[in-house]
Amino acid sequence: QAEWPLLVVAPSSLRFVWRDQAAQWLPHLVGEDGGHVHVVRNSKEKPLGTARIIVVTYDLLRRCESLRRRPDGREFLAVIVDESQNIKESSSQRTKVVVGLCKSTRRVILLSGTPAVNRAPELYTQLEALLPTEMPCFAQFAERYSYKQTQKFGSRTVVKWNGVQRAAELNGLLGSVMIRRLKKDVLTQLPAKRRMRVPLDPEKMDQETLREVERRSRQM
């Protein structure tokens, strides 16, 4: 109880999904209507002190320093970062804010369906958020787990880190913090596939785009 409220950082499109899912799976904690889930809608809105879950977007968290603390002014003790691949770019202000917040909390969960494509360094900031006291500096991590590529553009030299090396060792590191769920493992939890026809008002659509769609459909 002392760790409430939980902070959820999510893309704008998923804010209210979190409220609905919390109400569905945790009605004993947040109420059947999700009344104890506060979805922050804008920078002027202050989370309620009675909220058990506070949902905020990446952009709002970046812009509003007040949202980085609990309503009582103390630091958050539990944070969930949804679609955590959004913090893979270490130089962005968004990443710096989110990783800094994660480092100061007691419990952190990162959720992602695509944590990295094929570049080991893209994992660094997420691992740093989870293991702040155990991770080496970025340069050491990149040198050990990826390949260095140097390019020159006139007098300017650009260093890029690509690919993966020591894959087994890196996989062991990931295995210490990651729970991987395959689609087949959670298939019974997914809703049935639905196909719906959604009629659109052509008067409200961009006419040039509409004509282009019609032209391409005739060519098919």
Side-chain angles (χ1 to χ4, degrees):
Q1 294 293 331
E3 295 186 1
W4 294 109
L6 162 69
L7 176 68
V8 176
V9 184
S12 180
S13 60
L14 297 177
R15 288 179 297 172
F16 296 100
V17 174
W18 271 94
R19 183 189 63 187
D20 295 343
Q21 291 299 305
Q24 178 180 345
W25 296 99
L26 304 171
H28 57 294
L29 294 176
V30 302
E32 294 184 357
D33 61 349
H36 288 292
V37 180
H38 189 120
V39 179
V40 181
R41 294 172 172 81
N42 56 65
S43 58
K44 297 181 180 179
E45 188 174 336
K46 294 183 178 180
L48 300 175
T50 56
R52 289 196 163 187
I53 299 177
I54 297 173
V55 184
V56 64
T57 66
Y58 284 95
D59 185 58
L60 281 175
L61 192 68
R62 175 185 61 82
R63 293 190 287 115
C64 305
E65 190 172 347
S66 60
L67 294 177
R68 302 170 200 171
R69 290 182 174 272
R70 298 192 287 186
D72 61 8
R74 293 183 294 172
E75 292 184 340
F76 282 100
L77 298 179
V79 174
I80 293 177
V81 181
D82 195 9
E83 299 293 346
S84 63
Q85 72 273 8
N86 285 304
I87 62 170
K88 67 181 182 181
E89 183 54 59
S90 60
S91 61
S92 72
Q93 186 62 26
R94 172 176 58 190
T95 297
K96 292 177 181 178
V97 168
V98 175
V99 173
L101 180 66
C102 292
K103 286 181 175 182
S104 65
T105 62
R106 184 179 298 173
R107 307 181 196 278
V108 179
I109 297 176
L110 306 185
L111 302 175
S112 177
T114 52
V117 183
N118 57 2
R119 298 177 60 245
E122 291 183 355
L123 292 166
Y124 180 78
T125 50
Q126 296 175 75
L127 289 169
E128 184 185 20
L130 294 170
L131 303 168
T133 62
E134 299 177 33
M135 289 296 291
C137 69
F138 174 80
Q140 291 177 322
F141 180 86
E143 287 177 359
R144 185 161 189 82
Y145 297 116
S146 62
Y147 298 97
K148 185 177 182 179
Q149 181 180 8
T150 303
Q151 297 178 328
K152 287 193 174 183
F153 300 93
S155 60
R156 187 166 62 97
T157 300
V158 176
V159 176
K160 293 185 177 181
W161 301 95
N162 297 310
V164 178
Q165 63 173 328
R166 297 185 176 89
E169 182 180 321
L170 179 59
N171 188 57
L173 175 61
L174 292 174
S176 68
V177 294
M178 182 175 70
I179 300 175
R180 187 183 183 192
R181 303 296 300 278
L182 301 177
K183 185 177 180 179
K184 64 181 180 64
D185 297 329
V186 296
L187 196 59
T188 58
Q189 302 173 22
L190 298 175
K193 183 183 293 185
R194 295 185 300 171
R195 288 183 172 88
M196 298 176 62
R197 175 174 292 182
V198 181
L200 302 175
D201 185 352
E203 298 299 325
K204 296 181 180 180
M205 298 176 64
D206 182 273
Q207 294 304 306
E208 184 177 345
T209 302
L210 186 60
R211 285 193 293 271
E212 178 65 17
V213 171
E214 291 176 346
R215 184 185 66 80
R216 292 188 179 187
S217 64
R218 287 195 296 268
Q219 295 175 348
M220 295 177 63

